[in-house]
Amino acid sequence: MANMALKKVPMPEQQPEVRNHNFEEVAQGYTAEMAIEEATRCLQCKNSPCVAGCPVNVQIPAFISRMAQGDFAGAYAQIAQTNALPAICGRVCPQENQCEGKCVRGIKGEPVAIGRLERFAADWQMKNGKETIQKPVSNGHRVAVVGAGPAGLTCAGDLAKLGYQVTVFEALHAPGGVLLYGIPEFRLPKDIVAKEVGKLEELGVEIQTDMVIGRVDSVDELLEQGYEAVFIGSGAGLPSFMHIEGEDLLGVYSANEYLTRINLMKAYREGYDTPIAHSKAVAVVGGGNVAMDAARCAKRMGAEQVYIVYRRSMEELPARAEEVHHAIAEGIVFKLLHNPVKILGDENGYVKAIECVEMELGEPDASGRRRPLVKEGSNFLVEVDTVIMAIGTSPNPLIRSTTTGLEANKRGCLIAQENGATTKEGVFAGGDTVTGAATVILAMGAGKTAAQAIDEYIQSKAK
Ligand code: FAD
Ligand code: SF4
Ligand code: SF4
Protein backbone atom coordinates (compact mmCIF):
# COMPACT_ATOMS: atom_id res chain seq x y z
CA MET A 1 0.00 0.00 0.00
CA ALA A 2 1.53 3.31 -1.10
CA ASN A 3 2.26 6.06 1.40
CA MET A 4 -0.39 8.67 0.52
CA ALA A 5 1.20 11.62 2.37
CA LEU A 6 0.56 14.74 0.27
CA LYS A 7 3.92 16.32 0.96
CA LYS A 8 7.44 15.16 0.23
CA VAL A 9 9.54 14.02 3.17
CA PRO A 10 11.25 17.34 4.03
CA MET A 11 14.92 17.74 3.17
CA PRO A 12 17.19 18.45 6.15
CA GLU A 13 18.84 21.83 5.54
CA GLN A 14 21.23 24.19 7.26
CA GLN A 15 19.28 27.02 8.90
CA PRO A 16 19.17 30.18 6.72
CA GLU A 17 20.84 32.45 9.29
CA VAL A 18 23.69 29.93 9.65
CA ARG A 19 24.15 28.96 6.01
CA ASN A 20 24.27 32.48 4.64
CA HIS A 21 27.64 32.82 6.39
CA ASN A 22 29.22 29.65 5.02
CA PHE A 23 29.75 27.82 1.73
CA GLU A 24 28.83 24.35 2.98
CA GLU A 25 26.04 22.47 1.27
CA VAL A 26 22.60 23.87 2.12
CA ALA A 27 20.52 20.72 1.51
CA GLN A 28 22.03 17.93 3.58
CA GLY A 29 20.43 14.89 2.02
CA TYR A 30 17.96 12.24 3.18
CA THR A 31 18.82 9.57 5.72
CA ALA A 32 18.14 5.95 4.66
CA GLU A 33 14.86 5.98 6.63
CA MET A 34 13.73 9.20 4.95
CA ALA A 35 14.63 7.84 1.50
CA ILE A 36 12.60 4.66 2.07
CA GLU A 37 9.63 6.65 3.41
CA GLU A 38 9.68 8.98 0.39
CA ALA A 39 10.13 6.07 -2.04
CA THR A 40 6.92 4.50 -0.74
CA ARG A 41 5.00 7.56 -2.02
CA CYS A 42 5.59 6.33 -5.60
CA LEU A 43 2.53 4.63 -7.12
CA GLN A 44 4.63 2.61 -9.62
CA CYS A 45 2.44 3.90 -12.47
CA LYS A 46 2.33 1.48 -15.42
CA ASN A 47 2.74 4.24 -18.03
CA SER A 48 5.36 6.05 -15.86
CA PRO A 49 4.79 9.64 -17.08
CA CYS A 50 7.76 10.80 -14.97
CA VAL A 51 10.20 8.95 -17.26
CA ALA A 52 9.01 10.99 -20.25
CA GLY A 53 10.08 14.11 -18.32
CA CYS A 54 13.68 12.92 -17.93
CA PRO A 55 15.98 13.87 -20.83
CA VAL A 56 18.31 10.93 -20.10
CA ASN A 57 15.53 8.37 -19.64
CA VAL A 58 16.17 7.32 -16.04
CA GLN A 59 13.81 4.41 -15.31
CA ILE A 60 12.29 6.17 -12.33
CA PRO A 61 9.69 3.67 -10.99
CA ALA A 62 12.22 0.84 -11.27
CA PHE A 63 14.88 2.62 -9.21
CA ILE A 64 12.35 3.90 -6.68
CA SER A 65 10.89 0.43 -6.21
CA ARG A 66 14.37 -0.89 -5.28
CA MET A 67 14.86 2.04 -2.97
CA ALA A 68 11.55 1.37 -1.19
CA GLN A 69 12.87 -2.14 -0.45
CA GLY A 70 16.12 -0.70 0.96
CA ASP A 71 18.13 -1.99 -2.01
CA PHE A 72 20.18 1.19 -2.48
CA ALA A 73 22.91 -0.49 -4.53
CA GLY A 74 20.25 -1.83 -6.92
CA ALA A 75 18.60 1.60 -7.13
CA TYR A 76 21.94 3.19 -8.02
CA ALA A 77 22.74 0.51 -10.62
CA GLN A 78 19.38 1.16 -12.28
CA ILE A 79 19.98 4.94 -12.45
CA ALA A 80 23.57 4.53 -13.64
CA GLN A 81 22.40 2.58 -16.69
CA THR A 82 21.31 5.83 -18.33
CA ASN A 83 22.68 8.66 -16.19
CA ALA A 84 26.44 9.17 -15.93
CA LEU A 85 26.24 11.98 -13.33
CA PRO A 86 23.40 11.11 -10.89
CA ALA A 87 24.87 12.83 -7.80
CA ILE A 88 24.93 16.04 -9.83
CA CYS A 89 21.50 15.71 -11.46
CA GLY A 90 19.87 14.83 -8.15
CA ARG A 91 21.12 18.18 -6.85
CA VAL A 92 20.72 20.60 -9.75
CA CYS A 93 18.12 19.33 -12.25
CA PRO A 94 15.11 21.65 -12.40
CA GLN A 95 12.94 18.66 -11.45
CA GLU A 96 9.77 20.74 -11.22
CA ASN A 97 9.89 21.20 -15.01
CA GLN A 98 11.15 17.69 -15.77
CA CYS A 99 10.58 14.34 -14.08
CA GLU A 100 8.69 15.68 -11.05
CA GLY A 101 6.68 18.03 -13.25
CA LYS A 102 5.09 14.92 -14.82
CA CYS A 103 4.60 12.89 -11.62
CA VAL A 104 0.93 12.04 -10.99
CA ARG A 105 1.35 12.58 -7.26
CA GLY A 106 1.82 16.26 -8.13
CA ILE A 107 -1.84 16.52 -9.27
CA LYS A 108 -3.03 16.51 -5.67
CA GLY A 109 -0.15 17.38 -3.38
CA GLU A 110 3.59 17.34 -4.02
CA PRO A 111 5.21 15.04 -6.58
CA VAL A 112 7.50 12.23 -5.47
CA ALA A 113 10.92 13.74 -4.60
CA ILE A 114 12.63 11.98 -7.51
CA GLY A 115 15.68 14.27 -7.48
CA ARG A 116 16.27 13.84 -3.76
CA LEU A 117 15.98 10.06 -4.09
CA GLU A 118 18.39 10.04 -7.01
CA ARG A 119 20.85 12.11 -4.99
CA PHE A 120 20.49 9.73 -2.04
CA ALA A 121 21.23 6.67 -4.22
CA ALA A 122 24.30 8.32 -5.78
CA ASP A 123 25.66 9.58 -2.44
CA TRP A 124 25.03 6.18 -0.83
CA GLN A 125 26.94 4.50 -3.62
CA MET A 126 29.88 6.90 -3.28
CA LYS A 127 30.08 6.18 0.44
CA ASN A 128 29.28 2.48 0.59
CA GLY A 129 29.41 1.04 -2.90
CA LYS A 130 32.10 -1.18 -4.26
CA GLU A 131 31.75 -0.22 -7.87
CA THR A 132 34.53 -1.72 -9.93
CA ILE A 133 34.70 0.01 -13.24
CA GLN A 134 35.71 -2.31 -16.07
CA LYS A 135 37.72 -0.50 -18.70
CA PRO A 136 36.06 -1.48 -21.99
CA VAL A 137 38.05 -3.23 -24.72
CA SER A 138 39.30 -0.66 -27.24
CA ASN A 139 37.64 -0.65 -30.67
CA GLY A 140 40.65 1.22 -32.11
CA HIS A 141 38.77 4.42 -33.04
CA ARG A 142 39.66 7.88 -31.71
CA VAL A 143 37.26 10.73 -30.90
CA ALA A 144 38.07 14.25 -29.63
CA VAL A 145 35.70 16.11 -27.30
CA VAL A 146 36.02 19.87 -26.85
CA GLY A 147 34.92 21.06 -23.41
CA ALA A 148 34.64 19.12 -20.14
CA GLY A 149 31.18 20.34 -19.09
CA PRO A 150 28.18 18.01 -18.70
CA ALA A 151 27.66 17.73 -22.49
CA GLY A 152 31.29 16.84 -23.25
CA LEU A 153 31.71 14.55 -20.24
CA THR A 154 28.53 12.60 -21.00
CA CYS A 155 29.46 12.20 -24.65
CA ALA A 156 32.98 11.10 -23.67
CA GLY A 157 31.68 8.58 -21.10
CA ASP A 158 29.19 6.99 -23.47
CA LEU A 159 31.78 6.67 -26.25
CA ALA A 160 34.37 5.24 -23.85
CA LYS A 161 31.85 2.59 -22.77
CA LEU A 162 31.57 1.59 -26.45
CA GLY A 163 35.35 1.13 -26.64
CA TYR A 164 36.35 4.46 -28.22
CA GLN A 165 39.61 6.11 -27.27
CA VAL A 166 38.34 9.52 -26.18
CA THR A 167 40.41 12.64 -25.48
CA VAL A 168 38.66 15.62 -23.88
CA PHE A 169 40.27 19.03 -24.43
CA GLU A 170 39.32 21.54 -21.72
CA ALA A 171 40.27 25.22 -21.78
CA LEU A 172 40.35 25.67 -17.99
CA HIS A 173 42.78 24.01 -15.58
CA ALA A 174 40.14 21.57 -14.27
CA PRO A 175 37.21 19.62 -15.80
CA GLY A 176 33.53 20.20 -14.95
CA GLY A 177 32.47 23.29 -16.92
CA VAL A 178 29.75 25.28 -15.19
CA LEU A 179 29.45 22.51 -12.58
CA LEU A 180 32.86 23.63 -11.38
CA TYR A 181 33.18 27.34 -12.03
CA GLY A 182 29.51 28.43 -12.03
CA ILE A 183 27.32 26.51 -9.59
CA PRO A 184 28.53 27.30 -6.06
CA GLU A 185 29.89 24.83 -3.52
CA PHE A 186 26.82 25.26 -1.26
CA ARG A 187 24.60 23.80 -4.02
CA LEU A 188 27.01 21.35 -5.58
CA PRO A 189 30.13 20.38 -3.62
CA LYS A 190 33.12 20.24 -5.93
CA ASP A 191 34.40 16.92 -4.57
CA ILE A 192 31.23 15.36 -6.02
CA VAL A 193 32.06 16.75 -9.46
CA ALA A 194 35.64 15.49 -9.09
CA LYS A 195 34.42 11.98 -8.12
CA GLU A 196 32.04 11.79 -11.09
CA VAL A 197 34.85 12.94 -13.41
CA GLY A 198 37.17 10.37 -11.80
CA LYS A 199 34.76 7.57 -12.81
CA LEU A 200 35.03 8.66 -16.44
CA GLU A 201 38.82 8.64 -16.22
CA GLU A 202 38.66 5.10 -14.86
CA LEU A 203 36.67 4.20 -17.97
CA GLY A 204 39.70 5.33 -19.97
CA VAL A 205 38.66 8.88 -20.93
CA GLU A 206 41.76 11.09 -21.19
CA ILE A 207 41.24 14.70 -20.09
CA GLN A 208 43.75 17.33 -21.24
CA THR A 209 43.30 20.63 -19.37
CA ASP A 210 44.59 24.12 -20.28
CA MET A 211 43.82 23.30 -23.92
CA VAL A 212 41.90 26.12 -25.58
CA ILE A 213 40.73 24.69 -28.89
CA GLY A 214 40.91 27.41 -31.50
CA ARG A 215 44.15 28.64 -29.94
CA VAL A 216 46.30 25.54 -29.25
CA ASP A 217 44.82 23.38 -32.03
CA SER A 218 41.77 24.04 -34.17
CA VAL A 219 38.94 21.55 -34.75
CA ASP A 220 40.28 21.12 -38.32
CA GLU A 221 43.69 20.22 -36.89
CA LEU A 222 42.17 17.67 -34.51
CA LEU A 223 40.59 15.93 -37.52
CA GLU A 224 43.94 16.05 -39.37
CA GLN A 225 45.60 14.45 -36.29
CA GLY A 226 43.49 11.33 -36.81
CA TYR A 227 40.48 11.91 -34.57
CA GLU A 228 37.66 10.39 -36.62
CA ALA A 229 35.03 12.67 -35.14
CA VAL A 230 34.94 15.73 -32.89
CA PHE A 231 32.21 16.60 -30.40
CA ILE A 232 31.96 20.29 -29.45
CA GLY A 233 30.51 20.88 -25.99
CA SER A 234 32.09 24.26 -25.33
CA GLY A 235 29.07 25.81 -23.60
CA ALA A 236 27.86 29.40 -23.65
CA GLY A 237 30.31 31.26 -21.47
CA LEU A 238 30.26 34.70 -23.08
CA PRO A 239 28.36 37.08 -20.77
CA SER A 240 25.84 39.63 -22.03
CA PHE A 241 25.67 43.19 -20.75
CA MET A 242 22.86 45.75 -20.82
CA HIS A 243 24.92 48.47 -22.56
CA ILE A 244 23.76 51.09 -20.11
CA GLU A 245 25.77 54.06 -18.83
CA GLY A 246 28.19 53.15 -16.03
CA GLU A 247 28.70 49.46 -16.90
CA ASP A 248 32.46 50.14 -17.18
CA LEU A 249 32.72 51.38 -13.56
CA LEU A 250 34.85 49.56 -10.98
CA GLY A 251 32.60 47.14 -9.09
CA VAL A 252 30.55 45.98 -12.09
CA TYR A 253 30.97 42.26 -12.79
CA SER A 254 29.45 39.73 -15.10
CA ALA A 255 27.99 36.90 -12.99
CA ASN A 256 30.34 34.49 -14.76
CA GLU A 257 33.41 36.42 -13.66
CA TYR A 258 32.12 36.90 -10.11
CA LEU A 259 31.24 33.22 -9.71
CA THR A 260 34.47 32.03 -11.33
CA ARG A 261 36.50 34.10 -8.87
CA ILE A 262 34.56 32.55 -6.00
CA ASN A 263 34.21 28.94 -7.16
CA LEU A 264 37.24 28.21 -9.29
CA MET A 265 39.64 30.71 -7.75
CA LYS A 266 38.31 29.98 -4.22
CA ALA A 267 37.88 33.65 -3.23
CA TYR A 268 35.78 32.53 -0.25
CA ARG A 269 38.52 30.48 1.34
CA GLU A 270 40.92 31.81 3.95
CA GLY A 271 44.44 31.94 2.59
CA TYR A 272 43.40 32.59 -1.02
CA ASP A 273 44.07 36.19 -1.99
CA THR A 274 41.84 36.05 -5.08
CA PRO A 275 41.00 39.63 -6.08
CA ILE A 276 37.27 40.25 -5.58
CA ALA A 277 35.14 43.12 -4.26
CA HIS A 278 34.29 42.81 -0.57
CA SER A 279 30.96 44.51 -1.00
CA LYS A 280 28.51 46.04 1.46
CA ALA A 281 25.53 46.37 -0.89
CA VAL A 282 25.11 44.43 -4.11
CA ALA A 283 22.56 44.58 -6.94
CA VAL A 284 22.32 41.43 -9.04
CA VAL A 285 20.50 42.06 -12.31
CA GLY A 286 18.55 39.04 -13.64
CA GLY A 287 16.20 36.31 -12.41
CA GLY A 288 17.70 32.97 -13.43
CA ASN A 289 19.73 30.37 -11.55
CA VAL A 290 22.86 32.38 -12.28
CA ALA A 291 21.41 35.49 -10.63
CA MET A 292 20.32 33.47 -7.54
CA ASP A 293 23.79 31.92 -7.24
CA ALA A 294 25.55 35.27 -7.57
CA ALA A 295 23.25 36.89 -4.98
CA ARG A 296 23.62 34.06 -2.48
CA CYS A 297 27.41 34.09 -2.95
CA ALA A 298 27.53 37.86 -2.40
CA LYS A 299 25.65 37.40 0.89
CA ARG A 300 28.08 34.70 1.98
CA MET A 301 31.04 36.92 1.03
CA GLY A 302 29.78 39.37 3.68
CA ALA A 303 27.48 41.82 1.87
CA GLU A 304 24.89 43.31 4.22
CA GLN A 305 22.30 44.07 1.53
CA VAL A 306 21.84 42.00 -1.61
CA TYR A 307 19.13 42.83 -4.15
CA ILE A 308 17.84 40.84 -7.09
CA VAL A 309 16.70 43.36 -9.70
CA TYR A 310 14.35 41.66 -12.17
CA ARG A 311 12.14 43.30 -14.73
CA ARG A 312 9.25 40.84 -14.58
CA SER A 313 7.29 39.42 -11.62
CA MET A 314 7.83 36.42 -9.34
CA GLU A 315 5.69 34.30 -11.65
CA GLU A 316 8.10 34.71 -14.58
CA LEU A 317 11.33 34.17 -12.57
CA PRO A 318 13.19 31.49 -14.55
CA ALA A 319 15.30 30.21 -11.61
CA ARG A 320 14.54 26.83 -9.97
CA ALA A 321 11.76 27.29 -7.42
CA GLU A 322 13.82 25.71 -4.63
CA GLU A 323 16.69 28.17 -5.18
CA VAL A 324 14.33 31.16 -5.12
CA HIS A 325 12.93 29.95 -1.78
CA HIS A 326 16.44 29.47 -0.43
CA ALA A 327 17.48 32.96 -1.57
CA ILE A 328 14.46 34.58 0.09
CA ALA A 329 15.07 32.68 3.33
CA GLU A 330 18.71 33.82 3.29
CA GLY A 331 17.69 37.47 3.25
CA ILE A 332 18.08 38.37 -0.43
CA VAL A 333 15.71 41.26 -1.25
CA PHE A 334 13.76 40.87 -4.51
CA LYS A 335 13.16 44.10 -6.40
CA LEU A 336 10.68 42.70 -8.90
CA LEU A 337 9.24 44.68 -11.82
CA HIS A 338 12.34 46.88 -11.71
CA ASN A 339 14.89 47.51 -14.42
CA PRO A 340 18.26 49.30 -14.21
CA VAL A 341 18.79 52.23 -16.58
CA LYS A 342 22.11 53.62 -15.35
CA ILE A 343 24.95 52.86 -12.92
CA LEU A 344 26.38 55.85 -11.06
CA GLY A 345 29.99 56.16 -9.93
CA ASP A 346 31.96 58.17 -7.37
CA GLU A 347 34.92 60.46 -8.09
CA ASN A 348 37.32 57.45 -8.10
CA GLY A 349 35.33 55.50 -10.67
CA TYR A 350 33.72 53.04 -8.22
CA VAL A 351 30.03 52.13 -8.28
CA LYS A 352 27.97 54.13 -5.77
CA ALA A 353 24.35 53.51 -6.90
CA ILE A 354 22.15 51.95 -9.52
CA GLU A 355 19.27 53.88 -11.08
CA CYS A 356 16.18 51.77 -11.77
CA VAL A 357 12.74 52.28 -13.23
CA GLU A 358 9.54 50.51 -12.25
CA MET A 359 7.97 48.20 -14.80
CA GLU A 360 4.51 46.79 -15.51
CA LEU A 361 3.60 43.75 -17.56
CA GLY A 362 1.91 44.10 -20.94
CA GLU A 363 0.86 41.52 -23.55
CA PRO A 364 2.96 38.33 -24.02
CA ASP A 365 6.02 38.69 -26.30
CA ALA A 366 7.58 36.12 -28.70
CA SER A 367 8.84 34.06 -25.72
CA GLY A 368 5.25 33.77 -24.44
CA ARG A 369 6.10 35.79 -21.32
CA ARG A 370 4.34 39.10 -20.66
CA ARG A 371 6.36 42.01 -22.02
CA PRO A 372 7.72 44.36 -19.33
CA LEU A 373 6.90 48.03 -19.98
CA VAL A 374 8.53 51.04 -18.32
CA LYS A 375 6.39 53.17 -15.98
CA GLU A 376 7.42 56.63 -17.14
CA GLY A 377 8.87 58.91 -14.47
CA SER A 378 9.31 56.11 -11.93
CA ASN A 379 13.14 56.42 -11.74
CA PHE A 380 14.77 55.92 -8.33
CA LEU A 381 18.23 55.19 -6.92
CA VAL A 382 19.41 52.19 -4.91
CA GLU A 383 22.74 52.71 -3.14
CA VAL A 384 25.09 49.83 -3.92
CA ASP A 385 28.84 49.41 -4.30
CA THR A 386 28.71 46.36 -6.60
CA VAL A 387 26.56 45.46 -9.59
CA ILE A 388 26.53 41.91 -10.99
CA MET A 389 25.04 41.39 -14.43
CA ALA A 390 23.31 38.00 -14.76
CA ILE A 391 21.19 38.64 -17.85
CA GLY A 392 22.36 35.75 -19.99
CA THR A 393 25.28 34.33 -21.92
CA SER A 394 26.01 33.16 -25.45
CA PRO A 395 28.64 30.84 -26.99
CA ASN A 396 32.16 32.22 -27.35
CA PRO A 397 32.86 32.76 -31.08
CA LEU A 398 36.41 31.30 -30.91
CA ILE A 399 35.59 27.78 -32.12
CA ARG A 400 33.22 28.71 -34.91
CA SER A 401 35.63 31.40 -36.18
CA THR A 402 38.56 28.96 -36.33
CA THR A 403 36.74 25.95 -37.87
CA THR A 404 36.00 25.73 -41.60
CA GLY A 405 32.42 24.93 -42.60
CA LEU A 406 30.89 25.28 -39.14
CA GLU A 407 27.75 27.39 -39.22
CA ALA A 408 26.04 29.26 -36.40
CA ASN A 409 22.71 31.04 -36.07
CA LYS A 410 22.12 34.75 -35.34
CA ARG A 411 22.59 34.18 -31.60
CA GLY A 412 26.01 32.63 -32.22
CA CYS A 413 24.81 29.08 -31.39
CA LEU A 414 26.19 26.26 -33.54
CA ILE A 415 23.65 24.84 -35.97
CA ALA A 416 23.17 21.11 -35.35
CA GLN A 417 20.62 18.45 -36.26
CA GLU A 418 18.73 16.59 -33.55
CA ASN A 419 21.46 13.95 -33.40
CA GLY A 420 24.14 16.64 -32.92
CA ALA A 421 25.57 16.57 -36.47
CA THR A 422 26.79 20.06 -37.40
CA THR A 423 27.22 21.56 -40.86
CA LYS A 424 30.75 20.08 -41.00
CA GLU A 425 31.22 16.38 -41.67
CA GLY A 426 32.52 14.45 -38.68
CA VAL A 427 31.85 17.32 -36.28
CA PHE A 428 29.03 17.04 -33.76
CA ALA A 429 27.91 19.50 -31.10
CA GLY A 430 25.53 19.71 -28.16
CA GLY A 431 24.68 21.44 -24.91
CA ASP A 432 24.68 25.20 -24.37
CA THR A 433 26.84 25.84 -27.46
CA VAL A 434 23.86 24.69 -29.58
CA THR A 435 20.86 25.67 -27.44
CA GLY A 436 22.24 28.75 -25.70
CA ALA A 437 22.26 28.76 -21.88
CA ALA A 438 19.97 25.89 -20.75
CA THR A 439 20.28 23.11 -18.16
CA VAL A 440 22.72 20.43 -17.06
CA ILE A 441 20.38 17.59 -17.93
CA LEU A 442 19.61 18.93 -21.42
CA ALA A 443 23.37 19.25 -22.05
CA MET A 444 23.84 15.68 -20.85
CA GLY A 445 20.97 14.47 -23.04
CA ALA A 446 22.59 16.17 -26.05
CA GLY A 447 25.97 14.58 -25.24
CA LYS A 448 24.31 11.18 -25.03
CA THR A 449 22.45 11.54 -28.33
CA ALA A 450 25.59 12.76 -30.08
CA ALA A 451 27.65 9.84 -28.73
CA GLN A 452 25.21 7.44 -30.39
CA ALA A 453 25.33 9.43 -33.65
CA ILE A 454 29.15 9.54 -33.58
CA ASP A 455 29.25 5.76 -33.09
CA GLU A 456 26.90 5.25 -36.07
CA TYR A 457 28.95 7.71 -38.17
CA ILE A 458 32.30 6.06 -37.44
CA GLN A 459 30.98 2.51 -37.77
CA SER A 460 29.32 3.33 -41.14
CA LYS A 461 32.61 4.77 -42.43
CA ALA A 462 34.56 1.73 -41.19
CA LYS A 463 32.41 -0.69 -43.25
P1 FAD B 1 29.52 24.09 -19.89
O1 FAD B 1 29.10 23.54 -18.59
O2 FAD B 1 29.60 25.57 -20.04
O3 FAD B 1 30.93 23.47 -20.25
C1 FAD B 1 31.66 23.89 -21.37
C2 FAD B 1 33.13 23.62 -21.15
O4 FAD B 1 33.83 23.90 -22.36
C3 FAD B 1 33.73 24.53 -20.09
O5 FAD B 1 34.48 23.75 -19.18
C4 FAD B 1 34.63 25.47 -20.87
O6 FAD B 1 35.77 25.89 -20.15
C5 FAD B 1 35.02 24.60 -22.06
N1 FAD B 1 35.42 25.34 -23.24
C6 FAD B 1 34.84 26.46 -23.75
N2 FAD B 1 35.51 26.85 -24.86
C7 FAD B 1 36.50 25.96 -25.04
C8 FAD B 1 37.54 25.84 -26.01
N3 FAD B 1 37.69 26.73 -26.99
N4 FAD B 1 38.41 24.81 -25.90
C9 FAD B 1 38.29 23.90 -24.89
N5 FAD B 1 37.33 23.98 -23.93
C10 FAD B 1 36.45 24.99 -24.03
N6 FAD B 1 21.49 24.13 -14.92
C11 FAD B 1 20.71 23.30 -14.20
O7 FAD B 1 20.21 22.33 -14.74
N7 FAD B 1 20.47 23.52 -12.88
C12 FAD B 1 21.03 24.54 -12.21
O8 FAD B 1 20.80 24.69 -11.03
C13 FAD B 1 21.89 25.42 -12.93
N8 FAD B 1 22.52 26.44 -12.31
C14 FAD B 1 23.40 27.21 -13.00
C15 FAD B 1 24.12 28.18 -12.32
C16 FAD B 1 25.06 28.95 -12.98
C17 FAD B 1 25.82 29.97 -12.22
C18 FAD B 1 25.26 28.76 -14.38
C19 FAD B 1 26.26 29.61 -15.14
C20 FAD B 1 24.53 27.82 -15.07
C21 FAD B 1 23.62 27.02 -14.38
N9 FAD B 1 22.90 26.02 -15.03
C22 FAD B 1 22.09 25.19 -14.31
C23 FAD B 1 23.08 25.79 -16.46
C24 FAD B 1 24.01 24.61 -16.73
O9 FAD B 1 25.10 24.64 -15.85
C25 FAD B 1 24.46 24.60 -18.17
O10 FAD B 1 23.30 24.55 -18.99
C26 FAD B 1 25.34 23.39 -18.47
O11 FAD B 1 26.49 23.40 -17.65
C27 FAD B 1 25.75 23.37 -19.93
O12 FAD B 1 26.64 22.32 -20.14
P2 FAD B 1 27.68 22.34 -21.34
O13 FAD B 1 28.47 21.09 -21.19
O14 FAD B 1 26.98 22.59 -22.60
O15 FAD B 1 28.59 23.62 -21.10
FE1 SF4 C 1 14.85 13.84 -12.87
FE2 SF4 C 1 17.17 14.86 -13.63
FE3 SF4 C 1 17.11 12.48 -12.46
FE4 SF4 C 1 16.13 12.75 -14.93
S1 SF4 C 1 18.27 12.99 -14.29
S2 SF4 C 1 15.18 11.63 -13.22
S3 SF4 C 1 15.28 14.83 -14.84
S4 SF4 C 1 16.55 14.42 -11.51
FE1 SF4 D 1 6.03 7.15 -9.23
FE2 SF4 D 1 5.24 9.65 -9.84
FE3 SF4 D 1 6.51 8.19 -11.64
FE4 SF4 D 1 4.02 7.52 -10.92
S1 SF4 D 1 4.64 9.38 -12.00
S2 SF4 D 1 5.78 6.13 -11.22
S3 SF4 D 1 4.07 8.13 -8.77
S4 SF4 D 1 7.34 8.90 -9.68
Side-chain angles (χ1 to χ4, degrees):
M1 172 74 185
N3 164 2
M4 293 313 287
L6 291 182
K7 288 198 176 281
K8 294 175 180 176
V9 173
M11 177 64 118
E13 286 176 357
Q14 281 195 70
Q15 288 306 306
E17 60 282 5
V18 174
R19 68 185 191 232
N20 65 12
H21 296 293
N22 70 53
F23 274 79
E24 278 146 43
E25 196 169 13
V26 168
Q28 294 170 328
Y30 279 162
T31 60
E33 293 72 27
M34 289 171 175
I36 292 173
E37 188 186 337
E38 181 61 24
T40 58
R41 291 185 65 231
C42 174
L43 303 177
Q44 294 293 314
C45 313
K46 286 252 159 10
N47 56 351
S48 43
C50 48
V51 176
C54 173
V56 295
N57 201 29
V58 170
Q59 294 303 300
I60 295 163
F63 100 73
I64 294 186
S65 142
R66 293 199 171 136
M67 191 158 267
Q69 292 157 27
D71 175 11
F72 304 136
Y76 172 80
Q78 178 68 59
I79 299 167
Q81 277 183 22
T82 58
N83 185 350
L85 309 171
I88 293 168
C89 295
R91 285 172 167 81
V92 303
C93 267
Q95 289 104 6
E96 67 267 31
N97 303 325
Q98 293 172 332
C99 52
E100 294 183 19
K102 299 250 190 296
C103 172
V104 296
R105 291 297 309 262
I107 298 168
K108 194 174 163 213
E110 290 183 349
V112 175
I114 302 168
R116 294 175 185 178
L117 293 176
E118 185 167 307
R119 167 191 167 152
F120 175 82
D123 288 0
W124 184 92
Q125 181 68 21
M126 271 188 204
K127 222 159 133 208
N128 307 293
K130 295 187 183 47
E131 200 181 1
T132 45
I133 294 178
Q134 292 286 336
K135 205 167 157 180
V137 180
S138 168
N139 66 9
H141 296 286
R142 290 169 71 206
V143 178
V145 169
V146 181
L153 292 174
T154 305
C155 184
D158 278 18
L159 286 169
K161 282 184 198 155
L162 293 171
Y164 287 88
Q165 201 181 320
V166 186
T167 309
V168 180
F169 297 96
E170 167 53 47
L172 294 174
H173 65 265
V178 169
L179 305 176
L180 190 74
Y181 74 77
I183 304 181
E185 180 81 17
F186 56 81
R187 279 216 292 135
L188 180 61
K190 301 309 157 209
D191 63 331
I192 289 183
V193 179
K195 279 182 191 149
E196 298 280 33
V197 171
K199 282 197 260 166
L200 296 178
E201 287 177 312
E202 279 180 56
L203 269 176
V205 173
E206 184 200 359
I207 301 179
Q208 293 190 18
T209 52
D210 297 316
M211 292 291 279
V212 183
I213 298 305
R215 287 265 183 276
V216 186
D217 284 323
S218 66
V219 170
D220 288 10
E221 282 165 335
L222 293 176
L223 290 167
E224 283 162 21
Q225 288 164 18
Y227 291 103
E228 292 158 79
V230 177
F231 174 78
I232 303 173
S234 51
L238 189 70
S240 305
F241 285 92
M242 293 187 76
H243 306 292
I244 55 174
E245 193 181 326
E247 258 180 329
D248 54 351
L249 286 166
L250 295 166
V252 179
Y253 289 84
S254 72
N256 262 33
E257 181 188 344
Y258 188 73
L259 290 168
T260 301
R261 283 175 189 269
I262 292 175
N263 294 317
L264 195 66
M265 298 163 72
K266 311 282 180 227
Y268 66 94
R269 283 210 190 145
E270 300 253 337
Y272 278 72
D273 60 356
T274 311
I276 193 160
H278 291 279
S279 324
K280 282 210 164 75
V282 180
V284 179
V285 183
N289 286 318
V290 184
M292 298 307 133
D293 283 344
R296 296 172 72 198
C297 279
K299 193 83 184 167
R300 284 163 171 77
M301 292 295 289
E304 288 155 22
Q305 281 294 351
V306 182
Y307 305 102
I308 289 277
V309 181
Y310 179 59
R311 63 195 185 135
R312 292 185 163 96
S313 72
M314 194 57 112
E315 240 170 73
E316 290 83 18
L317 265 184
R320 289 182 69 209
E322 188 173 318
E323 304 313 334
V324 176
H325 293 146
H326 281 149
I328 293 170
E330 288 167 16
I332 310 294
V333 177
F334 281 64
K335 290 199 168 288
L336 301 169
L337 289 166
H338 287 110
N339 203 30
V341 287
K342 190 173 171 183
I343 305 168
L344 291 85
D346 65 14
E347 59 285 4
N348 298 316
Y350 285 89
V351 171
K352 68 170 188 187
I354 187 165
E355 184 177 331
C356 298
V357 283
E358 289 178 24
M359 310 292 285
E360 56 195 346
L361 294 179
E363 293 302 309
D365 62 15
S367 71
R369 292 180 304 173
R370 291 175 64 195
R371 189 189 300 274
L373 303 166
V374 175
K375 276 196 201 170
E376 291 306 331
S378 62
N379 301 46
F380 66 99
L381 290 183
V382 184
E383 280 185 28
V384 290
D385 53 23
T386 306
V387 175
I388 300 172
M389 290 292 175
I391 55 166
T393 53
S394 59
N396 188 306
L398 179 64
I399 290 185
R400 65 175 188 270
S401 62
T402 53
T403 309
T404 57
L406 201 58
E407 285 175 25
N409 64 20
K410 275 192 283 188
R411 294 185 299 137
C413 298
L414 295 182
I415 294 173
Q417 295 171 25
E418 246 172 52
N419 69 357
T422 65
T423 49
K424 185 177 175 73
E425 196 195 328
V427 178
F428 296 75
D432 283 6
T433 196
V434 170
T435 55
T439 63
V440 171
I441 196 69
L442 286 174
M444 287 177 60
K448 206 172 211 4
T449 307
Q452 207 181 332
I454 289 171
D455 178 43
E456 283 161 16
Y457 167 76
I458 292 179
Q459 296 308 330
S460 70
K461 286 195 75 172
K463 272 184 197 153

